[in-house]
Amino acid sequence: MFTRRSAEVPLAAATNENLAQISNVLIYSAMAVYTLAFFAYIAEWLFGSRSKVARTAAALTTKPGAKKAPAVTVNQAGGTAVLERPKVTVRAAAGRRDVPDGPGAHGGDEQGDLYGRIAISLTVLAFLIEFGGVLTRALSVERAPWGNMYEFNITFSTVATGVYLGLLALKKNVRWLGLFLITSVLLDLGLAVTVLYTASDQLVPALHSYWLYIHVSTAIFCGAVFYVGAVATILYLFKDSYESKLASGGTPGTFATSVLERLPSSASLDKFSYRVNAAVFPLWTFTIIAGAIWAGDAWGRYWGWDPKETWSFITWVAYACYLHARATAGWKGRKAAYLALIAFGCWLFNYYGVNIFVSGKHSYAGV
């Protein structure tokens, strides 16, 4: 019996090591496919810049004293769409303008649209490969793959991509988000495999709990959705400045016109970022409560102002302030957007800053 059990242990260890190696190969393969998707998204934006989008900006907004511009015809993939030049009005209460959403990154160019669809297909493929890498990592350690920053990073980027693809599957107009998302996913995975990589290992005793699956999984999902909202908020600030310049009679640069005119209107971007942040905020509240319950089981106290606990609460307060401000008439628009970015900055520091530079009970496996 002793000999048989001794032989089984090395065999299991070898199997786990092979799974860990397979996981690494899959993560690098996903990075390669994400890179191809990145170039496809670039091609979509480049070919879209050749369309008539750049020439419709002036027609969509009339300078003071200018005559009404005629309807603008924009060729789209598979047909033709006619855009009526809207009357631009500024609403004093909300600070918004009645402008239409842009046609998207492809800008109405058929070839640009083709590259965009190729980019989406590559993103789906990379997502499946990366998901396989996360799954094999979990099998190699026989636990949830969230025990250190490397595992958190690869899971986070997988979930962020999944959120994006999920919105596309729900027929939401978010394809414009693809280039920005994939760029950050590549940076996240590059940081994971070069700086944060940690070999497969078992968890410390405090983490052996079913709350690991509940608390950490919700934290990852919340972070992915907060990230999508932050990207939309940043783009809103650029688009709002662009629309303000047009409304005041200014002439934006050619590059700004070509890029920003294809995005949704600032009002649409503002509404989108608010909705995703508001939708996930209750789940972030549950994440903190679940963490407190887990702390009570693991350490005998529900709250001890550990750095991670403190910054999780600060992040909660920041998003609560944003949602409150966003629902208040005087704080819509840019002011609320700045609060949203501050809140997301708190979330980023809670993860990277606290885990790397601040020691506490939430520090495990070096990083």
Side-chain angles (χ1 to χ4, degrees):
M1 290 294 296
F2 177 79
T3 304
R4 183 179 177 181
R5 293 184 61 184
S6 299
E8 288 176 351
V9 172
L11 179 60
T15 301
N16 291 343
E17 181 63 26
N18 290 336
L19 287 172
Q21 293 177 359
I22 292 174
S23 174
N24 294 339
V25 171
L26 289 174
I27 294 299
Y28 278 103
S29 299
M31 292 177 65
V33 181
Y34 276 130
T35 302
L36 294 177
F38 169 80
F39 286 116
Y41 282 116
I42 289 290
E44 179 186 19
W45 281 91
L46 289 177
F47 280 100
S49 68
R50 305 186 312 173
S51 69
K52 294 183 180 180
V53 171
R55 286 175 283 172
T56 63
L60 291 174
T61 306
T62 304
K63 296 181 180 181
K67 295 181 179 180
K68 179 181 178 180
V72 180
T73 300
V74 177
N75 293 325
Q76 292 185 342
T80 301
V82 178
L83 298 179
E84 294 289 342
R85 184 198 63 80
K87 179 181 179 181
V88 178
T89 58
V90 178
R91 300 173 183 171
R96 297 179 181 176
R97 304 162 192 85
D98 293 325
V99 296
D101 290 339
H106 58 81
D109 182 88
E110 187 172 354
Q111 193 169 9
D113 180 68
L114 174 62
Y115 278 107
R117 286 185 277 115
I118 292 174
I120 294 297
S121 299
L122 290 171
T123 302
V124 172
L125 177 59
F127 166 76
L128 294 175
I129 295 174
E130 187 181 11
F131 178 79
V134 174
L135 180 60
T136 51
R137 175 76 176 198
L139 294 174
S140 71
V141 292
E142 300 178 355
R143 57 169 172 78
W146 311 317
N148 51 62
M149 289 186 68
Y150 168 74
E151 294 174 355
F152 192 101
N153 266 41
I154 62 176
T155 306
F156 173 80
S157 59
T158 304
V159 174
T161 306
V163 170
Y164 168 64
L165 295 176
L167 291 172
L168 288 176
L170 293 174
K171 307 299 182 182
K172 302 298 182 181
N173 177 27
V174 294
R175 203 166 97 178
W176 46 269
L177 188 64
L179 177 61
F180 309 100
L181 174 79
I182 297 306
T183 300
S184 59
V185 165
L186 283 171
L187 292 174
D188 179 76
L189 290 176
L191 180 66
V193 300
T194 57
V195 178
L196 303 177
Y197 181 77
T198 303
S200 299
D201 199 359
Q202 295 303 312
L203 299 174
V204 297
L207 292 182
H208 285 287
S209 171
Y210 60 88
W211 284 105
L212 172 68
Y213 298 90
I214 300 173
H215 172 66
V216 183
S217 62
T218 54
I220 292 173
F221 180 78
C222 289
V225 178
F226 283 148
Y227 164 73
V228 171
V231 172
T233 301
I234 293 173
L235 294 178
Y236 157 76
L237 292 173
F238 281 104
K239 188 64 181 277
D240 183 66
S241 296
Y242 173 77
E243 291 177 0
S244 296
K245 191 168 187 178
L246 286 177
S248 63
T251 304
T254 303
F255 177 79
T257 300
S258 177
V259 173
L260 296 177
E261 191 63 31
R262 285 178 270 174
L263 294 175
S265 66
S266 62
S268 295
L269 290 170
D270 182 40
K271 184 184 297 183
F272 174 78
S273 61
Y274 169 68
R275 285 180 174 178
V276 296
N277 286 326
V280 80
F281 180 74
L283 190 59
W284 180 249
T285 304
F286 170 77
T287 301
I288 296 177
I289 295 174
I293 296 174
W294 187 10
D297 291 342
W299 301 316
R301 82 325 180 251
Y302 293 102
W303 195 267
W305 295 106
D306 180 79
K308 178 70 71 173
E309 297 168 349
T310 302
W311 275 96
S312 295
F313 179 70
I314 291 173
T315 302
W316 184 90
V317 171
Y319 273 107
C321 290
Y322 159 70
L323 295 175
H324 176 72
R326 181 62 176 73
T328 304
W331 277 84
K332 290 182 179 179
R334 299 184 70 88
K335 292 180 179 180
Y338 293 138
L339 281 178
L341 293 181
I342 291 173
F344 184 68
C346 291
W347 187 91
L348 284 179
F349 182 79
N350 183 37
Y351 176 55
Y352 289 101
V354 172
N355 284 8
I356 295 176
F357 302 109
V358 183
S359 61
K361 288 191 174 183
H362 285 77
S363 300
Y364 301 102
V367 290

